[in-house]
Amino acid sequence: MSSARIFRPSKDASQSGLARTKQWLLEFDRTSPREKDPLMGWTSSSDMLQQVRLEFDTEEEAIAYAKREGIAYRVEKPRPQILRKGLSYSDNFKFNRTAPWTH
C-alpha cells in the first residue's frame, strides 16, 4: 500500500508572482531507497511512483481521490502568507525619513 502527502506548494524564492501556488498537489512517498550507480555515480530509484505528481483545484478533491484509490495520505496545511509593504527606490531619499542616514 502506498502513502502520499497532499499539500499546496510554496512560492519559490526567485519567484515574484503566485503562479503554481494555488493548486493542491498529491505526491507519493518514497517506497524504496535511492541507489548510487557504481559506474557513473548517478542516483536512481526503481520506485516509479516518485515521478507521479497529481494536481487538484481544491484540498477536498485531493482527499477524495486518495480515499477513492485507497491511498494513505497526510495533509500539510500551508502557512499563512505574510504580506510585505512595498517600498519604492525614491523612499530612500525622502526628507522625512524615519531612520537617519548611515553615511
Side-chain angles (χ1 to χ4, degrees), residues 9-17 19-21:
S10 61
K11 187 178 84 154
D12 291 335
S14 63
Q15 183 181 12
S16 62
R20 303 183 73 53
T21 60

Side-chain angles (χ1 to χ4, degrees), residues 5-58:
R5 76 178 178 137
I6 298 172
F7 67 101
R8 231 171 69 192
S10 61
K11 187 178 84 154
D12 291 335
S14 63
Q15 183 181 12
S16 62
L18 297 175
R20 303 183 73 53
T21 60
K22 299 194 185 325
Q23 291 190 330
W24 288 82
L25 298 178
L26 184 139
E27 281 187 349
F28 290 93
D29 294 330
R30 186 175 296 141
T31 58
S32 64
R34 292 185 179 208
E35 300 166 354
K36 188 173 182 181
D37 183 65
L39 179 63
M40 297 299 289
W42 297 339
T43 56
S44 64
S45 175
S46 61
D47 183 17
M48 289 298 167
L49 285 178
Q50 275 300 118
Q51 300 175 11
V52 177
R53 211 172 170 183
L54 302 175
E55 296 179 355
F56 298 93
D57 290 330
T58 63

